[in-house]
Amino acid sequence: LVCMDEYPVPKPKEISQKRMRTTRLQLAVSAALLASVDAFQPSRPGFDQRQGRSALSMSINANDLVPMKAGSTCALVTPFTPTGEIDTEALRGLLRFHVESETDGLCVLGTTGEASVMTMAERETVLKIVVEEVKGKIPILAGTGTIDPAHVKEMTLQAIDLGCDASLVVTPYYVKPPQRGLVKHMLSMADLGLPVVIYNVPGRSGSDMKPESIALCADHPNIIGVKEATGDVGRVEEIRNLTGDNLLLLSGDDGTDAEFVLKGGDGCISVTANVAPKQKHDLMMAALAGDTDEVERIGSPLRDLNGNLFCEANPIPVKWAMKRIGKIPTGYCRPPLDELDVEFQPVVEEALRTAGLI
């Protein structure tokens, strides 16, 4: 791998900077959407109306937030034992692996972390370990999204209390809210005080949060970024034109993340980074520096891996791959998922070999 000291690493975007108000919103943005924003002012969940304080401002975490930054954020798996319990020692090992590999951020308890089949007590176990191992070393982005806003609030408040640096909030899936409902949802969660990364993944959620709706959220001081998982790299320009540099734009698609950054994005939230964290970090640094030759050199061996880690539903293939390279003891996934089918194991193994990981 190339020594990235040869390249001028762009200064990470400090999320704590005061937001500039965008002047590029199109007049075509509907009045209904604008009205929905104003509708929050009288009553904000998690906000103390009399004192004007967010939940975060009253927590011990308030002065300890580590800003999210450009680069490679790993969508971390949750390792389980063969009987389905959280493997705490394996989790600690993975966290140390990412510190050593210069991973730029950790996204825990997201889709890849199988958060949808974990209890609040199990979430607490995971988050406490993550904070113990990497707080202050790597920004901690906790997945707190689901369908029910009350549960999103509950998980976000837990993340605040346990010391996370930001929350990843997916558009509520299955129920297909209108655009004004998505805006209202994101703004209300941002009012809790923890920095929010909006997660737009229409292929899983059934709802596509449009750039115009994202722009309506961009001036909230606690909305700091977007994980854009449509696979459409054209979204970078669309969102930038409406929001300027207000937001970190992070690709959620491993196959197109380098191109996403070369077009003006800031990095990725990556599944592949579970097995190739240093390569993903170096790839993002090269893309941020605009070095297309180095992007090709680093990225070419990862192409098959980026595709084949999705030969079955995520995180089934990546957990098998991590077991294969010796990073976790088992590829166990909780039901209704399962371990990787034997049909696909040679495909993933060959991709690992091409990437130089075995």
Side-chain angles (χ1 to χ4, degrees):
L1 293 175
V2 70
C3 175
M4 294 314 298
D5 290 341
E6 299 176 6
Y7 293 90
V9 179
K11 183 178 180 181
K13 296 189 176 180
E14 294 295 335
I15 306 307
S16 59
Q17 294 177 349
K18 184 176 180 181
R19 304 282 176 172
M20 68 176 186
R21 295 195 60 84
T22 180
T23 58
R24 300 181 184 180
L25 283 176
Q26 304 298 317
L27 293 177
V29 176
S30 73
L33 282 173
L34 292 170
S36 73
V37 177
D38 294 335
F40 301 103
Q41 305 306 322
S43 176
R44 295 179 170 187
F47 201 84
D48 187 323
Q49 295 294 323
R50 293 168 298 175
Q51 301 297 325
R53 295 178 295 175
S54 69
L56 179 65
S57 70
M58 295 181 282
S59 82
I60 60 173
N61 191 31
N63 297 318
D64 298 323
L65 295 179
V66 177
M68 293 292 297
K69 59 183 180 179
S72 172
T73 292
C74 177
L76 192 70
V77 303
T78 302
F80 295 119
T81 68
T83 56
E85 302 301 315
I86 295 170
D87 189 333
T88 58
E89 287 307 307
L91 177 58
R92 290 185 188 277
L94 292 180
L95 295 167
R96 294 165 189 166
F97 174 50
H98 283 287
V99 172
E100 294 166 0
S101 301
E102 301 181 78
T103 293
D104 301 291
L106 284 171
C107 179
V108 297
L109 298 177
T111 304
T112 310
E114 299 175 76
S116 59
V117 288
M118 294 175 68
T119 66
M120 289 297 289
E122 288 175 323
R123 290 177 63 89
E124 180 177 352
T125 295
V126 170
L127 292 179
K128 281 184 174 179
I129 290 172
V130 172
V131 170
E132 287 172 11
E133 292 287 343
V134 305
K135 181 68 175 180
K137 301 174 185 177
I138 303 178
I140 302 167
L141 176 66
T144 64
T146 188
I147 299 175
D148 181 5
H151 191 33
V152 179
K153 177 181 176 182
E154 180 185 19
M155 291 189 289
T156 302
L157 292 176
Q158 181 192 57
I160 291 172
D161 290 342
L162 295 176
C164 297
D165 299 307
S167 60
L168 180 71
V169 180
V170 69
T171 55
Y173 43 86
Y174 188 72
V175 293
K176 297 185 178 181
Q179 293 295 305
R180 64 184 182 277
L182 296 175
V183 172
K184 180 176 180 179
H185 182 70
M186 297 301 173
L187 291 177
S188 62
M189 296 312 150
D191 277 340
L192 295 172
L194 193 63
V196 169
V197 175
I198 296 169
Y199 182 14
N200 187 40
V201 56
R204 282 187 177 269
S205 70
S207 297
D208 183 5
M209 192 166 183
K210 302 298 185 182
E212 293 82 4
S213 298
I214 291 169
L216 289 173
C217 300
D219 288 320
H220 194 298
N222 294 327
I223 292 184
I224 62 168
V226 180
K227 177 183 178 182
E228 181 58 56
T230 59
D232 178 6
V233 296
R235 284 287 177 97
V236 178
E237 183 177 6
E238 291 182 63
I239 297 171
R240 282 276 185 246
N241 285 341
L242 293 170
T243 67
D245 291 328
N246 276 13
L247 302 175
L248 277 174
L249 301 187
L250 303 171
S251 169
D253 180 61
D254 276 294
T256 60
D257 55 8
E259 184 181 359
F260 185 96
V261 173
L262 288 169
K263 288 183 175 294
D266 298 300
C268 64
I269 298 180
S270 167
V271 173
T272 302
N274 280 284
V275 290
K278 186 63 168 67
Q279 293 93 322
K280 273 291 185 177
H281 165 78
D282 290 348
L283 180 66
M284 290 298 101
M285 293 301 105
L288 286 164
D291 189 336
T292 54
D293 290 340
E294 193 61 15
V295 165
E296 176 63 20
R297 189 189 72 80
I298 300 169
S300 180
L302 298 177
R303 287 200 184 106
D304 287 347
L305 194 60
N306 289 333
N308 291 335
L309 286 181
F310 297 91
C311 61
E312 286 197 303
N314 180 46
I316 293 172
V318 73
K319 292 189 89 171
W320 185 89
M322 294 176 74
K323 176 187 175 183
R324 178 65 182 83
I325 65 173
K327 292 301 177 184
I328 56 176
T330 175
Y332 181 92
C333 295
R334 283 186 173 175
L337 299 182
D338 198 359
E339 294 193 49
L340 186 66
D341 192 284
V342 293
E343 174 188 355
F344 297 108
Q345 291 175 11
V347 173
V348 176
E349 176 146 351
E350 183 58 31
L352 290 170
R353 186 170 286 108
T354 300
L357 298 172
I358 54 174

